[in-house]
Amino acid sequence: MRWELRLENVWDLEFSERNKMKHIIFDCDNTFGVKDCDVDDGLALLYLLGCKEAAKIHGITATYGNNRLEVVYETIHRMLKDLGREDIAVKRGGYEAGDYDSEAADYLAEMANRLQGQLSILATGSLTNLQGAYERDAHFFEKVKEIVLMGGITEPLVFEKKVMDELNFSCDPLASCNVLKYGNNVSVITGNHCLKVLFTKEEYKRELFSREEPIARYIRERTDYWFGYNEADYGIKGFYNWDVTAAVYLMHPELFTEQRGRFAFSEEDLKTGYLRKTPEGMWQCNLPEIGDAEAFKRNIYDTWMKVKIPV
């Protein structure tokens, strides 16, 4: 009897260790280092790679948003080559809203079947590929463990110089509506919640420009231009790490406060990315909010520095 208990305890421990690992597909519109394009998808990828003891990235599915699909697809490949991680699968997604027949959609549906109940999806661009997977398999969302999205607004995104449009959910309102309604365990990092934490040029220099690790040089060389773009276009002396925030929530939800509520999702609202919260809403959703800003930033910088790249 004592031996049986010991075996059971060992099995429980092994089961617990296995389930600490997140099995991830990253669906993104990565334009890291592309002139005049956002850098946060690439920084989110670096964050996931820095969580190597807790995150297994099975694949990256390319979607449009920050730029055309082909630019995104090539950027992902180039970045993985830079990082020595060409072992990670990359799948080309749909080219525009309504283009649901793609290898990315096939791959998402296949992996949801293979990893029954264990697949985590981080989606930081248009949601066309997730809709494609759903059209292939009506039970796709039921087979997914969790979906973390970056996108949507609950009120206008007001910067110093202008109001910024929502640029993720609004790309494909039908797809966004279905993911929000039918996705299993969906959490949305909204643009509004990301505005809580600004990454300034001064702290960026302090954290990255004084360090000689190859990853620090890699990040600063490929993202420094983004500060100038944000100041010139929006009057912001820094930038918001939109997609990185979603990656942090996926891996460290304890750094956030859960904000669950009821919503009335509609394609019409999602044409502008608007998430309509109402007690009469049919759909439940979680809109987590960053907790301690300094702990949040410290986690990001420390995790980036864990990424090892070829020199």
Side-chain angles (χ1 to χ4, degrees), residues 1 16 29 37 69 73 124 129 157 162-163 171 190 195 207 215 225 230-231 237 245 277 310:
M1 182 66 168
S16 175
D29 53 344
C37 288
L69 179 75
Y73 184 72
T124 59
N129 297 335
L157 288 176
K162 62 176 75 170
V163 176
C171 290
T190 68
L195 294 181
E207 295 289 344
I215 189 61
Y225 73 91
N230 276 275
E231 185 163 6
K237 295 184 181 301
T245 304
K277 187 175 182 180

Side-chain angles (χ1 to χ4, degrees), residues 9 11 50 68 102 113 118 193 202 207 216 269:
N9 289 340
W11 187 87
R68 294 177 294 105
S102 69
N113 271 320
Q118 291 299 308
H193 284 172
E202 290 71 25
E207 295 289 344
D269 280 344

Side-chain angles (χ1 to χ4, degrees), residues 129-183:
N129 297 335
L130 275 66
Q131 173 68 19
Y134 178 52
E135 293 202 353
R136 277 156 181 69
D137 181 355
H139 300 285
F140 167 69
F141 290 126
E142 301 163 29
K143 299 171 184 177
V144 173
K145 178 182 178 181
E146 60 189 338
I147 300 174
V148 177
L149 308 173
M150 192 285 125
I153 56 173
T154 52
E155 58 186 16
L157 288 176
V158 181
F159 291 173
E160 294 292 330
K161 289 186 177 180
K162 62 176 75 170
V163 176
M164 181 178 179
D165 292 334
E166 197 279 342
L167 299 173
N168 283 0
F169 292 175
S170 55
C171 290
D172 190 338
L174 170 64
S176 301
C177 198
N178 284 336
V179 174
L180 290 165
K181 285 181 177 180
Y182 307 125

Side-chain angles (χ1 to χ4, degrees), residues 74-87:
E74 290 166 8
T75 301
I76 295 169
H77 274 291
R78 182 171 63 251
M79 191 172 178
L80 291 177
K81 183 177 181 180
D82 290 344
L83 300 171
R85 291 304 311 270
E86 292 175 281
D87 57 299

Side-chain angles (χ1 to χ4, degrees), residues 17-285:
E17 289 299 316
R18 285 199 306 272
N19 280 270
K20 287 180 182 176
M21 181 68 71
K22 297 265 189 182
H23 295 273
I24 299 168
I25 292 176
F26 184 24
D27 186 71
C28 64
D29 53 344
N30 184 7
T31 50
F32 190 75
V34 176
K35 187 177 185 297
D36 295 333
C37 288
D38 214 329
V39 299
D40 56 336
D41 295 84
L43 292 173
L45 174 57
L46 291 175
Y47 182 87
L48 294 177
L49 291 172
C51 297
K52 58 184 177 181
E53 294 178 357
K56 177 173 177 52
I57 307 172
H58 288 270
I60 303 174
T61 47
T63 190
Y64 59 92
N66 288 335
N67 209 312
R68 294 177 294 105
L69 179 75
E70 286 305 320
V71 173
V72 171
Y73 184 72
E74 290 166 8
T75 301
I76 295 169
H77 274 291
R78 182 171 63 251
M79 191 172 178
L80 291 177
K81 183 177 181 180
D82 290 344
L83 300 171
R85 291 304 311 270
E86 292 175 281
D87 57 299
I88 297 174
V90 182
K91 303 296 180 181
R92 186 184 274 103
Y95 283 81
E96 60 186 357
D99 184 9
Y100 302 131
D101 185 11
S102 69
E103 64 176 5
D106 289 339
Y107 179 71
L108 283 160
E110 173 193 337
M111 292 302 290
N113 271 320
R114 186 183 302 177
L115 295 169
Q116 292 269 350
Q118 291 299 308
L119 177 61
S120 298
I121 297 174
L122 175 63
T124 59
S126 56
L127 299 180
T128 299
N129 297 335
L130 275 66
Q131 173 68 19
Y134 178 52
E135 293 202 353
R136 277 156 181 69
D137 181 355
H139 300 285
F140 167 69
F141 290 126
E142 301 163 29
K143 299 171 184 177
V144 173
K145 178 182 178 181
E146 60 189 338
I147 300 174
V148 177
L149 308 173
M150 192 285 125
I153 56 173
T154 52
E155 58 186 16
L157 288 176
V158 181
F159 291 173
E160 294 292 330
K161 289 186 177 180
K162 62 176 75 170
V163 176
M164 181 178 179
D165 292 334
E166 197 279 342
L167 299 173
N168 283 0
F169 292 175
S170 55
C171 290
D172 190 338
L174 170 64
S176 301
C177 198
N178 284 336
V179 174
L180 290 165
K181 285 181 177 180
Y182 307 125
N184 186 38
N185 194 16
V186 175
S187 295
V188 179
I189 303 298
T190 68
N192 306 97
H193 284 172
C194 290
L195 294 181
K196 179 176 179 179
V197 179
L198 180 69
F199 286 70
T200 67
K201 178 81 172 196
E202 290 71 25
E203 73 182 35
Y204 203 72
K205 283 183 175 180
R206 184 177 66 248
E207 295 289 344
L208 296 176
F209 282 56
S210 62
R211 305 186 67 141
E212 290 307 314
E213 290 95 330
I215 189 61
R217 293 197 299 274
Y218 182 78
I219 292 173
R220 68 185 184 234
E221 287 169 3
R222 287 160 177 78
T223 63
D224 191 47
Y225 73 91
W226 196 236
F227 288 97
Y229 176 89
N230 276 275
E231 185 163 6
D233 250 36
Y234 296 106
I236 307 168
K237 295 184 181 301
F239 65 83
Y240 299 104
N241 260 314
W242 315 97
D243 298 341
V244 181
T245 304
V248 176
Y249 177 74
L250 176 64
M251 300 308 304
H252 289 284
E254 71 276 7
L255 294 173
F256 293 73
T257 301
E258 306 288 275
Q259 300 286 347
R260 300 185 182 276
R262 302 197 71 85
F263 293 81
F265 297 124
S266 71
E267 286 184 58
E268 189 60 34
D269 280 344
L270 289 165
K271 288 177 181 178
T272 59
Y274 181 60
L275 305 173
R276 187 179 299 277
K277 187 175 182 180
T278 170
E280 293 77 34
M282 289 181 60
W283 312 98
Q284 291 191 29
C285 194

